[in-house]
Amino acid sequence: MQHFASDNYAGICPEAMEAFVSANAAHAPAYGDDEWTRRVSERLRDLFETDCDVYFVFNGTAANSLALAALCQSYHSVICHELAHVATDECGGPEFFSNGSKLLTAPGAGGKLTPDAVREVIARRSDIHYPKPRVVTLTQATEVGTVYRPDEIAAIAALAHASDLRVHMDGARFANAVASLGVSPADVTWRAGVDVLCFGGTKMGLPMGEAVVFFDRRLSEDFAWRCKQAGQLASKMRFLAAPWLGILEDDVWLKHARHANAMAQRLAAGLAAIPGAGLLFAVEANGVFVHLPARVLDGLRARGLRFYTFIGAGGARFMCGWDTQVESVDALLENIRALMAEA
Amino acid sequence: MQHFASDNYAGICPEAMEAFVSANAAHAPAYGDDEWTRRVSERLRDLFETDCDVYFVFNGTAANSLALAALCQSYHSVICHELAHVATDECGGPEFFSNGSKLLTAPGAGGKLTPDAVREVIARRSDIHYPKPRVVTLTQATEVGTVYRPDEIAAIAALAHASDLRVHMDGARFANAVASLGVSPADVTWRAGVDVLCFGGTKMGLPMGEAVVFFDRRLSEDFAWRCKQAGQLASKMRFLAAPWLGILEDDVWLKHARHANAMAQRLAAGLAAIPGAGLLFAVEANGVFVHLPARVLDGLRARGLRFYTFIGAGGARFMCGWDTQVESVDALLENIRALMAEA
Amino acid sequence: MQHFASDNYAGICPEAMEAFVSANAAHAPAYGDDEWTRRVSERLRDLFETDCDVYFVFNGTAANSLALAALCQSYHSVICHELAHVATDECGGPEFFSNGSKLLTAPGAGGKLTPDAVREVIARRSDIHYPKPRVVTLTQATEVGTVYRPDEIAAIAALAHASDLRVHMDGARFANAVASLGVSPADVTWRAGVDVLCFGGTKMGLPMGEAVVFFDRRLSEDFAWRCKQAGQLASKMRFLAAPWLGILEDDVWLKHARHANAMAQRLAAGLAAIPGAGLLFAVEANGVFVHLPARVLDGLRARGLRFYTFIGAGGARFMCGWDTQVESVDALLENIRALMAEA
Amino acid sequence: MQHFASDNYAGICPEAMEAFVSANAAHAPAYGDDEWTRRVSERLRDLFETDCDVYFVFNGTAANSLALAALCQSYHSVICHELAHVATDECGGPEFFSNGSKLLTAPGAGGKLTPDAVREVIARRSDIHYPKPRVVTLTQATEVGTVYRPDEIAAIAALAHASDLRVHMDGARFANAVASLGVSPADVTWRAGVDVLCFGGTKMGLPMGEAVVFFDRRLSEDFAWRCKQAGQLASKMRFLAAPWLGILEDDVWLKHARHANAMAQRLAAGLAAIPGAGLLFAVEANGVFVHLPARVLDGLRARGLRFYTFIGAGGARFMCGWDTQVESVDALLENIRALMAEA
């Protein structure tokens, strides 16, 4: 049975697995001094059409926390949406890696920050009893399955830079956002003003690993030391790097992201046809948030399905991954229809 | 060409790779709530013959640093050998994860701490201007290829516990030590007084990953939160856990460790027969440290070979791994003989 | 001109100054190994009628942050009121000293937490992606000038202890609360379930310095080392300790607190008689929060008066200290009346 | 009885006390927004003949740790002498405030670093497994009572800056060094290449408090926030600042330092005349280190005298302060002579 709890319930996509296995052919230098790491870094620079600085770390907590720590000091603060993963689901990781930087949350419709919301936080206080804002972080796609358009990012980034803040993007589902927008990765990152992107690999079909991509290379000074000290330097780096080769080839990453997004659309369309099943957010990436009666949610769980319900009362989250099958979506819809009809 | 720079130049052993690939069969719950993680944890409890508490993290820096942080507070100190990896090669990782715990180093022949050396550090100071010793960490096998016998560990652990210190073991090469000693894993850990072991997987042939094994379960309270916050919780945990299944089956881990140790013995025996090549330490695990003339070292490098020379002037380190071939060892010896003869 | 911006605009009260000066008579051992520190510690144990453990640190940021750090680990969280000083005015101090512990805020009328509000936070999540609640902190008197009664504290403490949480009290204005309640210090602290109190000295008339009082002595293990490492061990400790002697003698601290409270009552009574001046919170300690027209606030500032307006739109905070004079209160009232009349 | 254990056994000098008391005349704004803080900052800029940036913190642990944390990141390292106070007597304070920066110690005759010793540490390693050197810290006067000449500082600073390192000076006894050298404060700091000085107040006769003086103002960006977060912002700042006014007036600080140095010279001269009492280091500031027979040390202690013996076996440290009396020195010498004669 396929669950809809998280896109990280999916395994490794075939292309990533093949690259992983092939990287095992021989003896190779450690700590990134290998050909796979070099090639993937080059491929990422090609993909982003700029001479960015690239680092591979083990997971998203570390990628975001290390990147944020590189952008501010402990007495600075990071402005984020109140639903941002860094604020709600990292167990204080950003605070730990930065030794105390505070996350200042702001509201925003559809899980998205706006220039006004960011401006309000920047202007809130300027005394030394309050941590000085130094970074804005955007989640792309957002925690509720919406997507920032390039102009939306550019507006926030312009405001941020004008106030001497840096712009970080949590791209755990960056692939889904790019696939949804149909723009180039460059357009939605550095051309819009993003300084650092955490490009998620795990949810795209890798076994593990994220890439921290510095578009503003001044910000990555000594970042390799930072990673090492913080337990994020893989000795057999090739196994963290090689899977990226598999998915960057022939835009496999976009193909998988488009599939996941399409499954979410299919699910959303099906739900829209069910009276009483109200979509909570625009479905723009690979997540579907829907309000369902409590007994329907209980019924789904009773049938063995796993999913989260952290968005308000009665709100269920269904995530689609690269491996989500049409049949699984249809079966989920069928289950919901049946449970709704039981009432 | 096989290098002798590090046992982490080796790739993934076949048994680990097979288990890794087979874990990819299906969709599975994340964050360790999967059958592979459960099974490996059980296997480790069987292996150690005790109900220990097991956590899987990405690498050795993190394993040791998190374990040490769990054993002390920032104003405490950790006693280690002056050549200990945590002191010399972790870029301040233990200090970072613990928020400031100081490593107090002690000398010792053959890279090993002794009760006397530990006692001296414990007794050195007791005022509040000096961080209070709270942990002793032992590296097994040591950084210079020697091995602690169970009675040596027990003597240090008894002293430590009598002084209210805890005992940590950095087991990046624990397999090589166990294979060398021919004892049970339990005998060389908790039965000898070790409270926490960082059991290295990477150098045993895994793609990455170490197990933190708490024998004293009171010390692992909330350790899962600690791992999560510190960026060491793998979402697709099964890929970190499954490879362990491959090597724990049929004592594959010991078979590989014995092979690496045997290659080191072959190399040592060959070197012993070369006049002018002086072994620096007893060869008890998988590393060989030898003094060679500078021009010989230069000559080896000129022939493309990689190895380290961090132990004093003229000292070369040659590490053997699970993949080191007899032919590679013999070729290395041949190269050394030829270069020595050139003089 | 006396301002009403903060009770720390006041200087040193005569009794504290006299004790300070008299402590300078001679040469004396450093770091707390002196008679003044010993005597004050004894006096505090007498005052609290229990064998508590006492430490003197330089200021309130440090007192609260160090105490909280002693009660939890970096991956734990601290439950506090959304207006709590530790959350709003310490520039991330608690996060810094604890290396990342998150503050989880809860609402509550009159600046006070309730068992229900605390219970909601405790019950909110139990997964490892969210920092585990380990401490509840209460501010006594609160940031808005109200006071917790012993039974209110006891109810929260009972809930906290039942959930394995510890109870911390930020007592920057503890004196004002005790003076207001007319209870014994013991009744409003350990007898009600408080584990650690940060007893504010600065706002009571000392030049600087707070006392961290551990009622549960198991929680203060090695706290002296924690203070030292964190830059909070005074070498000439006697000058931090002696002023306490001056104010603990003959209940001078209560006399001063009663005076400050009385000034606040006088101000509140005067404001109540001014149409259009609406008190925002019950006046139970030494702070008065009142809503005044913007032009009145501007007018007060134009006349040189300093005060804060951080509580919502139009809300002004007037703090009274041990040195606030009747004439100053009356002059403030007169100014407000005149400005109100100008409209 | 006057002890010779530490110059911080001395109380507050009359000039500092007078300034302290006079600062208590009235109600005054908090957190440094007061006239005393402004005036002292100006006086320090005059004293150093440059537009430096000045901050007042509570003690030396904090001053040095905060300054070092401002100069490097957690994965950087700080080069210091192996006897440096930051390394031996701060309980890991620098590591705590910087979240893990490692102190790399170097030897050096007379407690002083040399360019060669610093160069060796800088050149030791350049790989990411070792924290990158970013700061050199010099103690002036040193822990063993010697003093760096301006040219010695300049040589080290030139080397440091050429390697992209910053230069910090721990000036807990800066006054004694300046008094000894007879140079201007500017000559021995920024003109010689020092970027940041921690100017000790406590040992000069203040009740507490040190000044962090940034000569390179680019390094002090947001330092006020750093102090606040770390519990080093005094609310009643005037009482930390005012005593400096007392000792900066009419070079009182130098007068007191010269006296302490003279007492050390008197003691050294007396010891030189006692057969068997061997001075261990040149007496250039206010400390005298002498080798004495164990029974003599025991005898001094039996007569109630306090002093430290942390420098090797048989080495005693006698510190003189601004309050050390000629009679006390002579009595100490008499006691030593008597005890030596007893043999």
Side-chain angles (χ1 to χ4, degrees):
Chain A
M1 168 183 265
Q2 281 197 309
H3 299 289
F4 290 81
S6 176
D7 23 3
N8 59 33
Y9 275 40
I12 306 169
C13 69
E15 299 88 347
M17 181 61 98
E18 187 184 336
F20 182 91
V21 172
S22 75
N24 195 35
H27 205 71
Y31 302 116
D33 186 19
D34 64 82
E35 64 172 304
W36 296 272
T37 305
R38 271 190 293 272
R39 281 166 56 205
V40 184
S41 299
E42 278 310 314
R43 293 298 309 269
L44 284 169
R45 280 187 272 270
D46 291 345
L47 181 71
F48 284 103
E49 307 170 53
T50 187
D51 189 26
C52 49
D53 209 3
V54 178
Y55 299 86
F56 298 96
V57 299
F58 293 113
N59 71 5
T61 307
N64 286 318
S65 299
L66 285 171
L68 292 172
L71 301 185
C72 65
Q73 295 291 310
S74 62
Y75 43 87
H76 289 142
S77 54
V78 175
I79 300 174
C80 66
H81 191 276
E82 61 191 3
L83 295 177
H85 201 263
V86 288
T88 65
D89 284 273
E90 296 295 17
C91 196
E95 292 90 339
F96 174 78
F97 281 89
S98 66
N99 200 22
S101 304
K102 213 165 173 112
L103 302 177
L104 303 181
T105 60
K112 294 200 281 187
L113 286 175
T114 60
D116 281 350
V118 172
R119 190 177 295 112
E120 187 279 325
V121 180
I122 294 175
R124 193 180 292 167
R125 308 239 322 238
S126 62
D127 60 285
I128 59 176
H129 306 276
Y130 201 66
K132 191 178 185 176
R134 197 63 189 270
V135 187
V136 175
T137 176
L138 305 172
T139 312
Q140 176 79 316
T142 73
E143 287 302 302
V144 295
T146 57
V147 168
Y148 284 96
R149 294 190 315 271
D151 65 296
E152 292 175 319
I153 296 167
I156 292 172
L159 166 66
H161 290 145
S163 303
D164 198 25
L165 274 73
R166 288 84 179 258
V167 181
H168 166 263
M169 179 169 278
D170 174 354
R173 296 184 182 99
F174 183 72
N176 302 96
V178 171
S180 171
L181 290 163
V183 297
S184 77
D187 284 346
V188 80
T189 55
W190 63 273
R191 283 201 195 111
V194 172
D195 296 312
V196 186
L197 167 71
C198 292
F199 190 176
T202 314
K203 293 191 170 80
M204 283 199 292
L206 304 196
M208 67 192 64
E210 322 281 294
V212 184
V213 183
F214 286 88
F215 300 113
D216 183 342
R217 298 179 65 124
R218 290 167 303 180
L219 300 173
S220 65
E221 188 188 352
D222 295 340
F223 194 74
W225 276 264
R226 189 183 288 277
C227 291
K228 164 66 193 182
Q229 182 182 43
Q232 292 292 329
L233 175 66
S235 56
K236 298 181 178 177
M237 181 76 89
R238 53 175 153 157
F239 298 114
L240 208 52
W244 284 87
L245 279 180
I247 63 166
L248 290 178
E249 194 74 28
D250 296 330
D251 282 346
V252 162
W253 66 290
L254 275 177
K255 184 188 72 174
H256 286 321
R258 282 191 203 106
H259 171 77
N261 290 359
M263 290 301 97
Q265 288 298 335
R266 184 181 187 93
L267 177 56
L271 288 168
I274 301 176
L279 289 175
L280 295 168
F281 300 99
V283 178
E284 297 175 351
N286 62 323
V288 179
F289 293 75
V290 62
H291 184 276
L292 291 170
R295 58 167 185 76
V296 172
L297 299 178
D298 290 343
L300 289 172
R301 284 202 196 87
R303 293 173 185 209
L305 198 79
R306 290 185 182 221
F307 56 95
Y308 285 101
T309 51
F310 58 84
I311 303 292
R317 182 185 86 158
F318 297 112
M319 297 305 296
C320 299
W322 68 268
D323 70 334
T324 301
Q325 296 166 352
V326 171
E327 295 73 21
S328 299
V329 173
D330 291 350
L332 171 58
L333 285 167
E334 191 49 46
N335 273 309
I336 293 174
R337 272 186 222 110
L339 286 161
M340 293 291 277
E342 276 180 25
Chain B
M1 167 184 264
Q2 281 197 310
H3 299 289
F4 290 82
S6 176
D7 23 5
N8 60 31
Y9 276 40
I12 306 169
C13 68
E15 298 87 349
M17 181 61 97
E18 188 184 333
F20 181 91
V21 171
S22 74
N24 196 35
H27 207 71
Y31 301 117
D33 186 17
D34 64 83
E35 63 171 306
W36 296 272
T37 305
R38 272 189 292 273
R39 282 166 55 204
V40 184
S41 300
E42 278 310 314
R43 293 300 308 270
L44 284 169
R45 280 186 273 269
D46 291 346
L47 181 70
F48 285 102
E49 306 169 52
T50 187
D51 189 26
C52 49
D53 209 3
V54 178
Y55 299 86
F56 298 95
V57 299
F58 293 114
N59 71 5
T61 307
N64 286 318
S65 298
L66 285 171
L68 292 173
L71 301 186
C72 65
Q73 295 291 310
S74 62
Y75 43 87
H76 288 143
S77 53
V78 175
I79 300 174
C80 65
H81 191 277
E82 61 191 3
L83 294 177
H85 201 262
V86 288
T88 66
D89 283 274
E90 296 296 16
C91 196
E95 292 90 338
F96 174 77
F97 281 88
S98 66
N99 199 23
S101 304
K102 213 165 173 114
L103 301 177
L104 303 181
T105 60
K112 294 200 280 187
L113 287 174
T114 60
D116 281 350
V118 172
R119 189 178 295 112
E120 187 280 325
V121 179
I122 294 175
R124 193 181 290 167
R125 307 240 321 238
S126 62
D127 59 286
I128 60 175
H129 306 277
Y130 202 66
K132 191 177 183 176
R134 196 64 189 270
V135 186
V136 174
T137 177
L138 305 173
T139 311
Q140 176 79 315
T142 73
E143 287 300 303
V144 294
T146 56
V147 168
Y148 285 96
R149 295 190 316 269
D151 64 297
E152 291 175 318
I153 297 168
I156 292 172
L159 166 66
H161 290 147
S163 304
D164 198 25
L165 274 73
R166 287 83 180 259
V167 181
H168 166 263
M169 179 170 278
D170 173 355
R173 297 185 182 97
F174 183 72
N176 301 97
V178 171
S180 171
L181 291 164
V183 297
S184 77
D187 283 345
V188 80
T189 55
W190 63 273
R191 282 200 196 112
V194 172
D195 296 310
V196 186
L197 167 70
C198 292
F199 189 178
T202 313
K203 293 190 170 79
M204 281 199 293
L206 304 196
M208 66 192 65
E210 322 281 295
V212 184
V213 183
F214 286 88
F215 300 112
D216 182 341
R217 295 178 68 123
R218 291 166 302 180
L219 300 174
S220 66
E221 188 188 351
D222 295 340
F223 194 73
W225 276 263
R226 188 183 287 276
C227 291
K228 164 67 195 184
Q229 182 183 43
Q232 293 291 329
L233 176 65
S235 56
K236 298 181 177 176
M237 181 77 89
R238 53 174 152 159
F239 298 115
L240 209 52
W244 284 87
L245 279 180
I247 62 167
L248 290 179
E249 194 73 28
D250 297 331
D251 282 345
V252 162
W253 66 289
L254 275 178
K255 183 187 73 175
H256 286 321
R258 281 190 205 107
H259 171 78
N261 291 358
M263 291 301 97
Q265 289 298 335
R266 184 181 187 95
L267 178 55
L271 288 167
I274 302 176
L279 289 176
L280 296 168
F281 300 100
V283 178
E284 298 174 352
N286 62 323
V288 178
F289 294 76
V290 60
H291 184 278
L292 292 170
R295 57 168 186 76
V296 172
L297 299 178
D298 291 342
L300 289 172
R301 285 202 195 86
R303 293 173 184 209
L305 197 79
R306 290 182 183 225
F307 56 94
Y308 285 100
T309 51
F310 58 84
I311 302 292
R317 182 186 87 157
F318 298 111
M319 296 304 298
C320 299
W322 68 267
D323 69 335
T324 300
Q325 297 166 351
V326 170
E327 294 74 21
S328 300
V329 172
D330 292 349
L332 171 59
L333 285 168
E334 189 50 45
N335 273 308
I336 293 173
R337 271 185 223 110
L339 287 160
M340 293 291 277
E342 276 179 22
Chain C
M1 168 183 265
Q2 281 196 310
H3 300 288
F4 290 81
S6 176
D7 22 2
N8 60 32
Y9 276 41
I12 306 169
C13 69
E15 298 88 349
M17 181 61 98
E18 187 184 335
F20 181 93
V21 171
S22 74
N24 195 35
H27 206 70
Y31 302 117
D33 186 18
D34 64 82
E35 63 172 305
W36 297 272
T37 305
R38 272 189 293 273
R39 280 166 56 204
V40 184
S41 300
E42 277 311 314
R43 292 300 308 269
L44 284 169
R45 280 187 272 270
D46 291 345
L47 181 70
F48 285 103
E49 306 170 54
T50 186
D51 189 25
C52 49
D53 209 3
V54 178
Y55 299 85
F56 298 95
V57 299
F58 294 114
N59 71 6
T61 307
N64 286 318
S65 299
L66 285 171
L68 292 173
L71 300 185
C72 65
Q73 295 290 311
S74 63
Y75 44 86
H76 288 141
S77 53
V78 175
I79 300 174
C80 65
H81 191 276
E82 61 192 4
L83 295 177
H85 201 262
V86 288
T88 66
D89 283 273
E90 295 296 16
C91 196
E95 294 89 339
F96 174 78
F97 282 88
S98 65
N99 200 21
S101 304
K102 214 166 172 111
L103 301 177
L104 303 181
T105 61
K112 294 201 279 186
L113 287 175
T114 61
D116 281 350
V118 172
R119 190 178 295 113
E120 188 279 326
V121 180
I122 293 174
R124 194 181 290 166
R125 307 230 334 228
S126 62
D127 60 285
I128 59 175
H129 306 276
Y130 201 66
K132 190 178 185 175
R134 197 64 190 271
V135 186
V136 175
T137 175
L138 306 172
T139 311
Q140 177 77 318
T142 74
E143 287 301 304
V144 295
T146 56
V147 168
Y148 285 97
R149 295 190 315 270
D151 64 297
E152 292 175 319
I153 296 168
I156 292 173
L159 166 66
H161 290 146
S163 302
D164 198 25
L165 275 73
R166 288 85 179 257
V167 181
H168 166 263
M169 179 169 278
D170 174 355
R173 296 184 182 97
F174 183 71
N176 301 97
V178 171
S180 171
L181 290 164
V183 297
S184 77
D187 283 345
V188 79
T189 55
W190 64 273
R191 282 201 195 111
V194 172
D195 296 311
V196 186
L197 167 71
C198 293
F199 189 177
T202 314
K203 293 190 171 81
M204 281 199 292
L206 304 196
M208 66 192 64
E210 322 282 293
V212 184
V213 183
F214 286 89
F215 301 112
D216 183 341
R217 296 179 67 124
R218 291 167 302 180
L219 299 174
S220 65
E221 188 188 352
D222 295 340
F223 194 74
W225 276 264
R226 187 183 289 275
C227 291
K228 164 66 193 184
Q229 182 183 44
Q232 293 292 329
L233 177 66
S235 56
K236 297 181 177 176
M237 180 78 89
R238 53 175 153 158
F239 297 115
L240 209 52
W244 284 87
L245 279 180
I247 63 166
L248 291 179
E249 192 74 28
D250 296 330
D251 282 343
V252 162
W253 66 289
L254 275 178
K255 182 188 73 175
H256 286 321
R258 281 191 204 106
H259 172 77
N261 291 359
M263 291 301 97
Q265 288 299 335
R266 184 181 187 94
L267 177 55
L271 289 167
I274 301 176
L279 290 176
L280 296 168
F281 300 99
V283 178
E284 298 174 351
N286 62 323
V288 179
F289 293 75
V290 60
H291 184 277
L292 291 169
R295 60 170 183 76
V296 172
L297 300 178
D298 292 343
L300 289 172
R301 284 200 196 87
R303 293 175 185 206
L305 199 79
R306 292 186 182 220
F307 56 94
Y308 285 100
T309 51
F310 58 82
I311 302 292
R317 181 185 87 158
F318 298 112
M319 297 304 296
C320 299
W322 69 267
D323 69 335
T324 300
Q325 297 165 351
V326 171
E327 295 73 22
S328 299
V329 172
D330 292 348
L332 171 59
L333 285 167
E334 191 49 46
N335 273 308
I336 293 174
R337 271 185 222 109
L339 288 160
M340 293 291 278
E342 277 179 21
Chain D
M1 169 185 264
Q2 281 197 309
H3 299 290
F4 290 81
S6 176
D7 22 4
N8 59 32
Y9 275 40
I12 306 170
C13 70
E15 299 88 349
M17 181 61 97
E18 187 184 335
F20 181 92
V21 172
S22 74
N24 195 36
H27 206 69
Y31 302 117
D33 186 19
D34 63 82
E35 62 172 306
W36 297 271
T37 305
R38 271 189 292 274
R39 281 166 56 203
V40 183
S41 300
E42 278 310 314
R43 292 299 309 270
L44 284 168
R45 280 186 273 270
D46 292 345
L47 181 71
F48 285 103
E49 306 169 53
T50 186
D51 190 25
C52 49
D53 210 3
V54 178
Y55 299 87
F56 298 95
V57 299
F58 293 114
N59 71 5
T61 307
N64 286 318
S65 298
L66 285 170
L68 293 173
L71 301 185
C72 65
Q73 295 291 311
S74 62
Y75 43 87
H76 288 142
S77 53
V78 175
I79 301 174
C80 65
H81 191 276
E82 61 191 3
L83 294 178
H85 201 262
V86 288
T88 66
D89 283 274
E90 295 296 16
C91 196
E95 293 89 338
F96 174 78
F97 282 87
S98 66
N99 200 21
S101 303
K102 213 163 172 114
L103 301 177
L104 304 181
T105 60
K112 294 200 279 186
L113 286 175
T114 61
D116 281 350
V118 172
R119 190 178 294 112
E120 187 279 325
V121 179
I122 294 175
R124 193 182 291 168
R125 307 242 318 240
S126 62
D127 60 285
I128 59 175
H129 306 277
Y130 201 67
K132 191 177 183 175
R134 198 63 189 272
V135 187
V136 175
T137 177
L138 305 172
T139 310
Q140 177 76 319
T142 73
E143 287 300 303
V144 295
T146 57
V147 168
Y148 284 97
R149 293 190 318 269
D151 64 296
E152 291 175 318
I153 296 168
I156 292 172
L159 166 66
H161 290 146
S163 304
D164 198 25
L165 274 73
R166 287 83 179 258
V167 181
H168 167 264
M169 179 170 278
D170 173 355
R173 296 185 181 97
F174 183 73
N176 302 96
V178 171
S180 171
L181 290 163
V183 297
S184 77
D187 283 346
V188 80
T189 56
W190 63 272
R191 283 201 194 111
V194 172
D195 297 311
V196 186
L197 167 70
C198 292
F199 190 177
T202 314
K203 293 189 171 79
M204 281 198 293
L206 304 195
M208 65 192 65
E210 322 280 296
V212 184
V213 183
F214 285 89
F215 301 111
D216 182 341
R217 296 179 66 124
R218 292 168 301 181
L219 300 174
S220 66
E221 188 188 351
D222 295 340
F223 194 74
W225 276 263
R226 187 183 288 277
C227 291
K228 165 66 194 184
Q229 181 183 44
Q232 292 292 328
L233 177 65
S235 56
K236 298 183 178 176
M237 180 77 89
R238 53 175 153 160
F239 298 115
L240 209 52
W244 284 86
L245 279 179
I247 62 167
L248 291 178
E249 195 73 29
D250 296 330
D251 282 346
V252 162
W253 65 290
L254 275 178
K255 183 189 73 175
H256 286 320
R258 281 191 205 106
H259 172 77
N261 291 359
M263 291 301 97
Q265 288 299 334
R266 183 181 188 94
L267 177 55
L271 288 167
I274 301 176
L279 289 176
L280 296 168
F281 299 100
V283 178
E284 298 174 351
N286 62 322
V288 178
F289 293 76
V290 60
H291 184 277
L292 291 170
R295 59 169 183 76
V296 172
L297 300 178
D298 291 343
L300 288 172
R301 285 203 196 85
R303 294 173 183 207
L305 198 80
R306 291 184 182 222
F307 55 95
Y308 286 100
T309 51
F310 58 84
I311 304 292
R317 181 185 88 157
F318 297 112
M319 297 304 296
C320 299
W322 69 266
D323 69 335
T324 301
Q325 297 166 350
V326 170
E327 295 72 22
S328 300
V329 172
D330 292 349
L332 171 58
L333 285 167
E334 189 51 44
N335 273 308
I336 293 174
R337 271 185 222 110
L339 287 161
M340 293 292 278
E342 276 178 23

